[in-house]
Amino acid sequence: MRIFGVVSFVLAALCLAGCSSTSGVDALQLPSNETTSSVVRPAAPVSKGMRAVQREKTVETASMSGVSRIKPPAPLLDEGNASPIDENSRLGDENSRLGDENSRPFGLAEEETVNFPAQGLPDSVEPPVQEAALVSPPKRLSRAAPAMLASPVTRYAFRDAKPINFGRSSPRHLAVHGVDVSRWQGNINWEKLRAQGANFAYIKATDGGDHLDPMFMKNWRNADAAGLRRGAYHFFYWCRTAGEQADWFIRNVPKVDGALPPVIDVEWNGESSCTRKPSREKVLEKMQVFMDKLERHYGQRPIIYTSPDFYRDNLRGAFLDYPFWLRAVAAHPSKVYPGRKWLFWQYSGSGLSHGVTGRIDLNVFHGDERQWRAWLGGGGQMMADAD
């Protein structure tokens, strides 16, 4: 009987433990304790609309009364004309330029990770001259690197497989052009790319919370050796917490003097394994957490890269004190993103250049050569025209 009693006691304890434990699946569905207040905010101005962003959870839908009161601006315009976008056609000319290139994605509009462990989510007038975004410049260079700051700007010499006539608002009228790259460009001859007119390069570093572009460190080193100003970008994955993604980026992207500010790439991706679209409030909330952590670590305000449909759904009227990098490959950004100040413009996804096999994304800085140098030198806030 004594032995039987001991056995009964052990069996009862095991049953009790099994009933009270949480399964691995259920554990993934618990709300996250991550909040914006858990991240030490940098000393920088924050727009009134974003002061209401208080916290991020993985499952619960946050309440953001401050953002909900933002008055929406005029309807977003399609890139091919000056009329409001047809909600049934989404991207119009944007998609038609990219449709024949799905066999080999490139540039920022991509997600390279196939399987992420999902964390779960809740249900022809010329454009006017605009001011550039008020932005935090790259950190000042150390004394050992003045030559890079003084390096001459290489003039535009790219070709385009699908050229667009932007008229008087052509990006060719702007002085400082650059590229963005990822593993899809393969082995790049950075010296030839620089000679073609690439003065800066944004390099794919990470996406989600566990994927590192296999070409990142090679591109990071070689772009610098060729004399390009370099920066890194992160493709944001909507089924991972923002804090995890920020930590992953920080772990893999060096903090070095002279690097361009980090970029958060936010867009909808139909090829993603994460098929749910979070609410606008959740999108803004997660972005804020991610950007706060990066700004705290690198000492630079991150740049937001986005595309027309994602901007229309989430970003109009938001993040007014952040620099934007806008994709607009069929019309000037002032037509596609009316009223939005911008720092970089991605004007082509079909660029051709010596030093790269295949096509490459082409970008331009919003300002002249003097303003470019002032921004690189850490001259503070700046303004530029978009003509």
Side-chain angles (χ1 to χ4, degrees):
M1 293 296 294
R2 182 175 300 175
I3 295 176
F4 178 78
V6 172
V7 172
S8 299
F9 176 80
V10 172
L11 291 175
L14 290 175
C15 290
L16 180 60
C19 293
S20 62
S21 63
T22 303
S23 67
V25 174
D26 291 339
L28 290 177
Q29 298 175 349
L30 294 175
S32 168
N33 292 323
E34 180 178 50
T35 64
T36 54
S37 60
S38 68
V39 181
V40 180
R41 296 297 302 276
V46 178
S47 63
K48 293 181 180 179
M50 292 310 300
R51 288 196 181 106
V53 178
Q54 295 297 325
R55 61 180 180 170
E56 179 201 49
K57 295 181 181 179
T58 305
V59 176
E60 295 180 343
T61 301
S63 174
M64 296 178 60
S65 58
V67 174
S68 64
R69 289 196 298 267
I70 295 175
K71 182 179 180 181
L76 187 64
L77 302 183
D78 197 351
E79 296 192 34
N81 52 64
S83 60
I85 287 182
D86 180 357
E87 292 295 333
N88 295 323
S89 61
R90 304 292 290 177
L91 287 176
D93 287 342
E94 180 82 23
N95 283 341
S96 67
R97 285 173 59 82
L98 298 177
D100 60 349
E101 294 162 11
N102 290 334
S103 60
R104 186 183 182 188
F106 58 90
L108 288 170
E110 61 175 325
E111 179 190 12
E112 297 177 359
T113 299
V114 176
N115 294 313
F116 279 117
Q119 296 292 327
L121 286 171
D123 292 283
S124 113
V125 177
E126 290 300 325
V129 174
Q130 289 184 314
E131 296 176 346
L134 302 180
V135 301
S136 301
K139 294 176 64 178
R140 289 186 180 274
L141 296 176
S142 64
R143 293 183 179 181
M148 178 177 290
L149 181 60
S151 60
V153 168
T154 304
R155 297 302 175 185
Y156 180 100
F158 296 116
R159 294 164 293 129
D160 200 324
K162 296 184 178 181
I164 293 293
N165 183 5
F166 292 98
R168 292 175 55 192
S169 59
S170 172
R172 288 176 176 265
H173 299 323
L174 295 172
V176 185
H177 292 251
V179 298
D180 58 84
V181 302
S182 70
R183 66 174 179 175
W184 300 106
Q185 275 69 50
N187 290 313
I188 297 172
N189 185 321
W190 285 98
E191 288 76 14
K192 288 185 177 181
L193 192 59
R194 170 112 171 92
Q196 288 281 286
N199 295 284
F200 64 89
Y202 265 104
I203 301 167
K204 171 69 175 291
T206 55
D207 56 63
D210 58 4
H211 180 82
L212 174 67
D213 188 292
M215 295 294 289
F216 170 65
M217 285 310 302
K218 181 177 182 179
N219 286 333
W220 182 257
R221 290 190 298 264
N222 291 347
D224 181 60
L228 284 80
R229 300 309 298 263
R230 58 185 176 169
Y233 74 86
H234 172 84
F235 191 100
F236 201 87
Y237 185 71
W238 299 106
C239 290
R240 290 291 281 265
T241 67
E244 287 179 303
Q245 297 188 66
D247 291 341
W248 179 245
F249 183 89
I250 290 169
R251 175 180 172 182
N252 288 285
V253 177
K255 179 181 178 180
V256 296
D257 285 350
L260 300 178
V263 167
I264 174 175
D265 173 7
V266 286
E267 52 189 295
W268 299 133
N269 183 1
E271 303 300 320
S272 173
S273 58
C274 175
T275 59
R276 300 176 187 175
K277 291 184 179 181
S279 66
R280 180 178 190 265
E281 289 76 16
K282 176 63 69 175
V283 164
L284 300 181
E285 188 181 23
K286 292 171 78 73
M287 288 177 63
Q288 190 71 70
V289 170
F290 180 89
M291 293 189 297
D292 284 348
K293 295 195 80 168
L294 262 61
E295 186 169 353
R296 177 66 179 174
H297 179 77
Y298 294 101
Q300 299 168 291
R301 175 145 290 189
I303 296 170
I304 300 170
Y305 169 92
T306 194
S307 57
D309 61 335
F310 189 91
Y311 182 87
R312 180 182 65 242
D313 292 346
N314 301 285
L315 297 178
R316 288 187 295 185
F319 297 122
L320 299 180
D321 56 342
Y322 279 78
F324 270 71
W325 176 5
L326 301 176
R327 177 179 178 83
V329 299
H332 190 270
S334 62
K335 291 185 177 181
V336 186
Y337 309 84
R340 172 61 70 175
K341 297 176 181 179
W342 54 275
L343 180 67
F344 291 107
W345 169 19
Q346 186 183 85
Y347 59 87
S348 176
S350 54
L352 301 171
S353 174
H354 297 304
V356 177
T357 301
R359 300 177 184 182
I360 191 169
D361 289 339
L362 303 179
N363 305 273
V364 69
F365 171 75
H366 194 173
D368 58 24
E369 185 173 343
R370 176 188 59 81
Q371 290 164 327
W372 169 251
R373 294 183 185 280
W375 185 63
L376 291 180
Q381 294 181 334
M382 54 164 286
M383 300 173 66
D385 294 333
D387 51 332

